[in-house]
Amino acid sequence: MKMKERSAFLKRGPLLFLLAAALLTVPVFGDMGPKPQLTVRVENGPEELYYLDLLEEGDPCKYPDMAPGGLKGNYGEELEILDQDLLASFTAAVPEGWHACVAQGDLVWGRIDSRDGCFAFGYMLPITFRILLVTKSGETFLSEPMERQALQCSVTVDWAAGTVGAPPLWWGYATQFLATFLPTLAIEGLLLLLFRLWSRRNVLVFLGVNLLTQGGLTLWMSVETVRGGVNGISMLSSDYFSLFTRIQSLLDSLCYEAEGISPRLLPAELLILLAEAALYTKLFRDCSKRKAALYALAANLASFLLGLYLAEPVWRVVVDTML
């Protein structure tokens, strides 16, 4: 390493150390990752008071007051604000063989009353569900059975037309791509400045390499995450690592997350690191091969770890575009 480069690296050392320390403090929770969420929007809704709930096949909870969700769990001391006559009419309108997830007690978080026509339900959501809407005057809307196509999604009930619709998943894929690819460019671009590698040629190389590698990975992961959501453990899991696979299976059973999530992200990231290191050492100008390789390592580590930290907030952005 040349004297100038050694001096520049030593000056950057404390900053890089702090950056690494901050990135390594990724928060870990016992119940990780985004949970199932379904938002129901009502368009052209009734002008009178009405309640809306999700229906699931099976009998209602035998002890609704003891259910973690249900009316008591969701409303607490506010339970008295509900109109008891309308509530009775609502439960009476539930078809045989089904039960209301919130109104009749279940492991579902949500409220059956809404002033803005937006109803958010979460956690132990059924895959197959129906939507029931009952007004104060006794008018009823009951949808046909539907299936959730993603871990977190939305549907729209048009009260006037008597229809239910959902946005296309391709919009979620596109937003997931932008929401993960652009932060990657920002993180690794900042490191490009810190390593004093910023030049017209190097920036063009940086953009082209990331479009080829990180862009391809992000596009691939979009399909996985939009369908199943993401969390730190599931993103590290791989069929090649039996321990991680067992941990993932255990978390899936405990957290009731969507099945079929097995993204091989860690091996993919290692391949990307090797590919980017090879390309940077060959294509970067005005720097040694060692410095280019060191940048590739630091940039990939930063984007990977910070990506895990931002996984859930980024997912929220995706969900918002699907509502």
Side-chain angles (χ1 to χ4, degrees):
M1 185 181 293
K2 297 180 180 179
M3 184 63 68
K4 287 186 177 180
E5 291 184 359
R6 182 182 293 112
S7 176
F9 179 77
L10 291 175
K11 290 180 180 179
R12 290 193 301 268
L15 179 60
L16 294 176
F17 175 79
L18 291 176
L19 176 62
L23 292 174
L24 289 174
T25 56
V26 178
V28 177
F29 303 96
D31 195 10
M32 297 176 63
K35 301 298 172 283
Q37 178 175 319
L38 175 63
T39 300
V40 180
R41 291 185 181 275
V42 178
E43 292 184 349
N44 305 313
E47 295 183 359
E48 59 181 320
L49 179 66
Y50 67 93
Y51 290 160
L52 181 148
D53 201 355
L54 300 181
L55 304 186
E56 181 179 9
E57 286 188 276
D59 298 327
C61 182
K62 293 183 179 179
Y63 309 100
D65 289 343
M66 299 179 62
L71 291 176
K72 186 173 182 180
N74 283 285
Y75 286 89
E77 296 180 355
E78 297 181 354
L79 188 58
E80 60 184 21
I81 69 173
L82 293 176
D83 186 303
Q84 297 302 311
D85 292 334
L86 176 53
L87 184 59
S89 299
F90 184 91
T91 54
V94 176
E96 185 177 358
W98 295 76
H99 68 274
C101 292
V102 175
Q104 295 180 307
D106 214 330
L107 297 175
V108 173
W109 301 112
R111 297 172 70 98
I112 63 174
D113 63 319
S114 172
R115 296 180 179 178
D116 59 0
C118 182
F119 299 79
F121 302 95
Y123 204 55
M124 302 289 273
L125 295 179
I127 298 298
T128 301
F129 66 94
R130 302 175 79 174
I131 298 173
L132 175 63
L133 187 159
V134 178
T135 69
K136 178 68 173 177
S137 63
E139 293 186 84
T140 301
F141 171 84
L142 178 63
S143 73
E144 294 296 323
M146 309 170 62
E147 288 192 0
R148 288 191 295 115
Q149 299 299 317
L151 187 71
Q152 297 174 318
C153 55
S154 70
V155 295
T156 299
V157 174
D158 190 324
W159 168 256
T163 59
V164 180
L169 285 179
W170 69 262
W171 183 247
Y173 297 151
T175 308
Q176 175 72 16
F177 174 82
L178 293 176
T180 52
F181 181 57
L182 294 180
T184 297
L185 293 184
I187 295 167
E188 298 191 7
L190 176 61
L191 287 177
L192 195 69
L193 279 172
L194 294 177
F195 273 78
R196 297 183 181 179
L197 294 172
W198 195 275
S199 68
R200 181 181 178 83
R201 175 185 171 81
N202 288 351
V203 169
L204 291 177
V205 170
F206 161 75
L207 291 175
V209 168
N210 272 277
L211 183 62
L212 177 66
T213 58
Q214 296 291 346
L217 175 66
T218 303
L219 184 60
W220 170 62
M221 284 300 297
S222 296
V223 178
E224 296 290 334
T225 54
V226 169
R227 290 190 180 279
V230 294
N231 62 54
I233 298 297
S234 68
M235 292 185 73
L236 288 171
S237 67
S238 169
D239 290 342
Y240 302 109
F241 299 94
S242 60
L243 177 60
F244 285 145
T245 303
R246 292 177 183 177
I247 293 174
Q248 176 61 36
S249 298
L250 176 61
L251 288 177
D252 284 347
S253 63
L254 292 176
C255 300
Y256 191 74
E257 297 191 2
E259 297 179 358
I261 306 173
S262 182
R264 298 165 178 81
L265 184 58
L266 185 56
E269 282 288 351
L270 292 176
L271 290 176
I272 285 178
L273 170 60
L274 295 176
E276 290 192 355
L279 290 171
Y280 287 150
T281 55
K282 184 176 183 179
L283 300 176
F284 270 175
R285 291 292 182 266
D286 302 323
C287 72
S288 66
K289 291 184 177 181
R290 180 179 298 181
K291 184 176 182 180
L294 180 62
Y295 165 75
L297 175 62
N300 277 272
L301 180 63
S303 61
F304 177 70
L305 292 179
L306 194 57
L308 292 180
Y309 182 86
L310 295 175
E312 187 161 349
V314 167
W315 177 259
R316 295 300 176 188
V317 174
V318 178
V319 173
D320 287 343
T321 67
M322 299 175 66
L323 297 182

